[in-house]
Each structure stands twice: as C-alpha cells, then as structure tokens.
Amino acid sequence: MSFTYDYPRPAVTVDCVVFGLQDQRLRVLLIRRARPPFEGQWALPGGFVDMDEDLEVSARRELQEETGLRDIFLEQLYTFGTPGRDPRGRTISVAYYALVNTADHPPRADDDAAEAEWVDVDRAHKLAFDHDEILATALARLRGKVRYQPIGFELLPRKFTLSQLQRLYEVILERKLDKRNFRRRILSMDLLVELDEKQQDVSHRAARLYRFDKRKYRRLEESGFVFEL
Amino acid sequence: MSFTYDYPRPAVTVDCVVFGLQDQRLRVLLIRRARPPFEGQWALPGGFVDMDEDLEVSARRELQEETGLRDIFLEQLYTFGTPGRDPRGRTISVAYYALVNTADHPPRADDDAAEAEWVDVDRAHKLAFDHDEILATALARLRGKVRYQPIGFELLPRKFTLSQLQRLYEVILERKLDKRNFRRRILSMDLLVELDEKQQDVSHRAARLYRFDKRKYRRLEESGFVFEL
DNA sequence: GTTCTTAGTGTATTTGTGACACTATGAACA
DNA sequence: TGTTCATAGTGTCACAAATACACTAAGAAC
C-alpha cells in the first residue's frame, strides 16, 4: 500500500529525552538502535507519528514500546526540522522531555530497541541523528524550569527526605545549596507533607520522609502563588 | 506531479503569532484568509513548509510573503498536531512567535492574504483552525518570558523613553508598576544606554531617550547575569 | 562505649522590595 | 508673558528576603 500527495511531505517523528536520577547523578534513558540508520549507536527513544494520533500520545506510545515506561511526566520540548538531520530524507522531529523516578522504572528494552540504559548525562555523547543537540536543549530546559516549577519531585520516589530533595537540586543546578536555607525555603512554601515515617535501612540517623502535595500546589498556583527556588 | 510514500504522512505547516504595540495596546498581526478552508476568517499568518527549508526559515518566508515583515525577532513557540485541527487532513503546525516594532513595520497584505491587520489581542477571537489556542499559548509565553529575558525591547523603537518601556511592561503584564521602582531596577541592570537626545514633538516636557545595549547583555549573560524584572 | 555518618536546628547581617509625593520642564493657550 | 497642563524626573524609609555560618542529635557499625 502507498500514499500519494500533490506536494512532497516530510516524515514526522517524536523523540523523548527521559531524565532520571541514579546514584546521585542525572541520567538520560538511551536505546541502542536495532536497525539502520545509525544501527548499534545510542539514540533517544522515539519513532514515527501515527496518522490519527496526537503528538503527545505518540511520544508516550513510542516510549512504552521501546522502554516500557508509562504514566510519566512528559512535556513538549522543541521541534527539530533542519533538512539533513535524518539521512533517510526530510524528517521533522517533535521532541518531548520526561522525568521519572528510576527506582519505580527499571530500564528495559522492549520491541524496537536492542538495549535500553540509563546513561550519565555528562557521558551521553555521539548519539544518532541530531540527538546530542536535542539532549542539550532538554538539559537547558530542565535546568531553567526546575527553579520555577515544582517538577523536580517527578525524579524522586513518592516519599523522600529533604536531603534527597536538596541533592536533586544540587545535581540539576550544578551548585551546592546551603542546607538550612534550602530547608527553610522549601518548607515555607508549604507544599510538602511531613509524614509519620522515617527512612529505613540506612546506617546512620534516619531522616524524616515527606511527600509533595500536588493538589495543594495546583490550588495555590491558581491563586497566584509561584514556586521559586 | 505527485509524491508517494509507503506510509501516510501529515502535512507540516508553520504559523506565526506576531506581537506589536500600538496605541498602548498589545496587538497581534492577523490576516484575512483569501481561500478555503475558513475563507474570509481571521487567521495567523503561516503556510506549508518547503521540503528543503529549515523550519524557522519557513516561518520567516511565510511572514514575508503574507505580511511583508522581515528581519524580526522570532522564536519557536510550540507544535500543534491534534488530529482534526485542519479540515483538509492531518496537519502538524510548528508555531512561532515574533515581536516587532509596529512603527517600523506598517501592516500590509502581500501575496496570499486578502488583508492584514494589527488586532488588539483581547479582541482576537474566533480565528481559523485552532489559532485561538495558538494565540493563547503565545500570550502566555510572552508574559512569562518578558520578565526574565529582555525581549520587550523588540516591541519598541530603537530609541525609547523609560516611560514607554514601563508602559510596555504594564501592558504585557497587565498590572501597574511603580515609576521610581521600575526606573531604579531597569537602570541598575546597566543594560540601557542613556542617549544625548530627547523626545521630539510632544506637548509636554520631553523625556530622555535610551537604547538597549544588546551586546552588553550578551556579555553579562555569559558571565551568569540574569535579567529579571 | 566509641566512632562514624547524616539529620536537624537559629541567628545576625546584608541586600532587596515596595510604598510613597513632590519639583522640573516645556508646550499650549489665554 | 504668565498661567495651565501633561509628563519627566528624583530619594528615603520600613520591611522582607537572602545569605552566611556551626553545632548538637540520632542511630548504626564495630
């Protein structure tokens, strides 16, 4: 079967930059390409958009097909369409970025990918297509956005300690934060719920666990509150 | 001539939300569609992406073809691809937003548009396609971005007074600003060059003119400075 | 019970923000 | 030529927010 048009049309794909946190490092989920072009090279998960499918749905479908991930935080990032970015012909890629808690989502290669792995963002080079550039764009966006939108929590387990949260920000923003100032600040926003639970299985004093109250944030946001760290 | 592919492909378009300032109001440049679908209705300027043309180049070309505008500030906004957004069939639109100084760029309808006009953003409703949504997205982006990126200057003449600049921010952010605090703040950033010139042809005390020093901003930006209003 | 690691806590200083009102200038007009 | 009118231009004070900074507490490991 084939499809014919009066004018030439570019192919349209989606690509996903999925960020996770592992061993105190920021990681990105890459797949090893199972077929040409760039066979055997690392690439962002992604694929062609189906004809009757919304773009975001498309991104979620590809992510699930290639890495098993579902129901995660996902936002549109930028659209890349420079001619020549795909050797198979003009291809426009709508890129998305996602944040996941890696503990809940072990990497796994499904259908189309030979292999899937969490790679340290500082070591993710020489990716297929223009994926280095897409990754760089996603990183810049994450660094910019994390400061004025409470999206960092998406990278942590549902229950976390304040130290974990602080380390998360330190890793993303690439600078040390003062412990007392950080705590004062984040607690003063009144978005965290203090749980009656402590960390388990640590060989030092166990820290109190908290969770992020997304509903409360939504409510505050509507009445003009702005998260800012 | 026709073009055939193994899989169906969406059509890809670009649409531009061009903002301008006129009579102390924020305006958007609309064209009246010269042909179906939505013939005679107001729409954002835009059109199909050429096969060998970068997306941004495409947006600039369409803008020039339909409105005569060129060499203006233009950034990618968001990509809209919900199935059904174009009655002619699946169409993905990469939207851009632009800022121009309307004094230098009088509206004019070129080739493809029947008419082009600066419309008050509050009155720009019932546009063709999903252009209402695109406009709303662009407005939200402009309001968010203008506070931490010095892009507002793109809407003013090269030489402007501090009062003009303040009114610009008041119009975009939809709130009154304190004159003295505004001046203290903007001048303390040291991004404006005080000119040896004053306003002409006003029937009251003439104000000093300033211009934005883009180079200086670029330099400061690289050394970690962040514009914030 | 000693050591080790991380949790948890308060204050003082500096800096930034917001609120606020009058004089200066120059054109228009009587 | 002086009065009116519109907008330009200027400083301070009170309060809030940001920063810098160091010790004690808890609990596991040995």
Side-chain angles (χ1 to χ4, degrees):
Chain A
M1 192 160 174
S2 69
F3 300 85
T4 301
Y5 307 102
D6 291 343
Y7 295 93
R9 294 186 173 190
V12 179
T13 61
V14 287
D15 287 305
C16 299
V17 183
V18 186
F19 290 110
L21 198 67
Q22 251 183 1
D23 311 323
Q24 327 259 55
R25 304 203 82 97
L26 189 61
R27 314 244 171 183
V28 59
L29 187 59
L30 299 179
I31 58 155
R32 201 182 281 283
R33 286 185 59 82
R35 60 188 86 226
F38 300 101
E39 184 171 358
Q41 260 185 264
W42 290 105
L44 298 171
F48 292 92
V49 170
D50 283 350
M51 205 53 182
D52 52 1
E53 176 185 62
D54 196 15
L55 294 171
E56 183 177 319
V57 170
S58 205
R60 291 187 186 277
R61 176 182 52 73
E62 290 289 350
L63 215 45
Q64 167 131 33
E65 285 176 12
E66 298 189 348
T67 67
L69 290 176
R70 46 178 297 181
D71 297 331
I72 61 176
F73 172 91
L74 184 87
E75 271 191 1
Q76 199 185 103
L77 172 64
Y78 196 80
T79 297
F80 296 82
T82 312
R85 56 177 295 284
D86 187 321
R88 291 167 294 189
R90 182 72 192 279
T91 303
I92 287 167
S93 175
V94 183
Y96 282 79
Y97 75 104
L99 303 178
V100 295
N101 159 18
T102 55
D104 293 359
H105 300 280
R108 98 172 191 250
D110 278 10
D111 301 10
D112 304 349
E115 204 181 330
E117 203 174 296
W118 288 105
V119 177
D120 193 317
V121 290
D122 297 327
R123 288 184 221 284
H125 301 306
K126 309 273 175 71
L127 306 182
F129 306 100
D130 55 354
H131 290 185
D132 282 342
E133 187 189 350
I134 299 180
L135 172 57
T137 306
L139 255 176
R141 176 80 130 255
L142 175 62
R143 295 208 165 105
K145 196 142 191 170
V146 88
R147 282 183 33 218
Y148 61 93
Q149 291 249 269
I151 58 176
F153 303 103
E154 304 287 344
L155 291 164
L156 293 177
R158 211 176 62 87
K159 301 173 183 179
F160 52 84
T161 70
L162 295 182
S163 296
Q164 286 175 315
L165 186 61
Q166 182 178 342
R167 275 195 296 274
L168 166 71
Y169 277 95
E170 289 178 340
V171 164
I172 295 177
L173 301 177
E174 294 183 301
R175 64 190 169 94
K176 288 291 285 174
L177 300 173
D178 179 88
K179 179 153 73 160
R180 283 175 288 194
N181 295 341
F182 178 82
R183 283 169 187 238
R184 174 153 35 104
R185 198 156 179 142
I186 199 87
L187 290 175
S188 75
M189 293 188 206
D190 208 30
L191 293 172
L192 299 187
V193 180
E194 183 176 330
L195 302 174
D196 279 334
E197 260 179 286
K198 300 215 161 174
Q199 247 180 340
Q200 298 291 322
D201 306 315
V202 285
S203 72
H204 53 75
R205 176 173 174 184
R208 158 146 279 122
L209 292 169
Y210 292 80
R211 69 176 178 78
F212 172 58
D213 189 340
K214 197 180 265 188
R215 282 198 206 159
K216 193 162 200 173
Y217 172 66
R218 294 258 163 77
R219 259 183 284 127
L220 286 173
E221 195 190 18
E222 281 175 16
S223 41
F225 165 85
V226 282
F227 179 90
E228 195 180 339
L229 205 125
Chain B
M1 192 162 173
S2 71
F3 300 85
T4 301
Y5 307 101
D6 292 344
Y7 294 93
R9 295 186 172 190
V12 180
T13 62
V14 287
D15 286 305
C16 299
V17 184
V18 186
F19 291 110
L21 199 67
Q22 252 185 1
D23 312 323
Q24 326 262 56
R25 305 202 81 96
L26 189 61
R27 314 248 172 178
V28 60
L29 187 58
L30 298 179
I31 59 157
R32 201 182 282 281
R33 286 184 58 82
R35 58 188 89 226
F38 300 101
E39 184 172 358
Q41 260 186 264
W42 291 104
L44 299 171
F48 292 92
V49 170
D50 283 350
M51 206 53 181
D52 51 1
E53 176 185 63
D54 195 16
L55 294 171
E56 184 177 319
V57 171
S58 205
R60 290 187 187 278
R61 176 183 51 74
E62 291 288 351
L63 216 45
Q64 167 132 33
E65 284 176 11
E66 298 190 347
T67 68
L69 291 175
R70 45 178 297 180
D71 298 330
I72 62 175
F73 172 91
L74 183 87
E75 271 191 3
Q76 200 185 101
L77 172 65
Y78 195 80
T79 297
F80 296 82
T82 312
R85 58 177 293 284
D86 187 322
R88 292 167 293 189
R90 183 73 192 278
T91 303
I92 287 168
S93 174
V94 183
Y96 283 78
Y97 74 104
L99 303 177
V100 296
N101 159 18
T102 55
D104 294 358
H105 301 278
R108 98 171 190 251
D110 278 9
D111 300 10
D112 304 350
E115 203 181 331
E117 202 173 296
W118 288 105
V119 177
D120 193 318
V121 290
D122 298 328
R123 288 184 222 283
H125 301 306
K126 308 274 177 69
L127 306 183
F129 306 101
D130 54 356
H131 289 185
D132 282 343
E133 187 189 350
I134 298 181
L135 173 57
T137 306
L139 255 176
R141 176 80 129 258
L142 175 62
R143 296 206 164 107
K145 196 141 190 171
V146 88
R147 282 185 30 219
Y148 60 94
Q149 291 249 270
I151 57 175
F153 303 103
E154 305 287 344
L155 291 165
L156 293 177
R158 211 176 63 85
K159 301 172 182 180
F160 51 84
T161 69
L162 294 181
S163 296
Q164 286 176 316
L165 186 61
Q166 180 178 343
R167 275 194 296 273
L168 165 71
Y169 277 95
E170 288 178 339
V171 165
I172 295 177
L173 300 176
E174 294 184 301
R175 65 190 169 94
K176 287 293 282 174
L177 300 173
D178 179 88
K179 179 154 72 159
R180 282 176 289 193
N181 294 340
F182 178 81
R183 284 167 186 239
R184 172 160 32 118
R185 196 149 185 151
I186 199 88
L187 291 175
S188 75
M189 293 188 206
D190 207 30
L191 293 172
L192 298 187
V193 180
E194 183 176 328
L195 302 173
D196 280 333
E197 260 181 285
K198 301 215 160 173
Q199 247 179 343
Q200 298 291 322
D201 307 314
V202 286
S203 73
H204 53 75
R205 176 174 174 183
R208 157 146 281 122
L209 291 170
Y210 291 80
R211 68 176 178 79
F212 172 58
D213 189 339
K214 199 180 263 188
R215 283 199 204 157
K216 193 163 199 173
Y217 172 66
R218 294 261 162 76
R219 261 184 281 124
L220 286 172
E221 195 189 18
E222 281 175 16
S223 41
F225 165 85
V226 283
F227 178 91
E228 194 180 337
L229 206 127

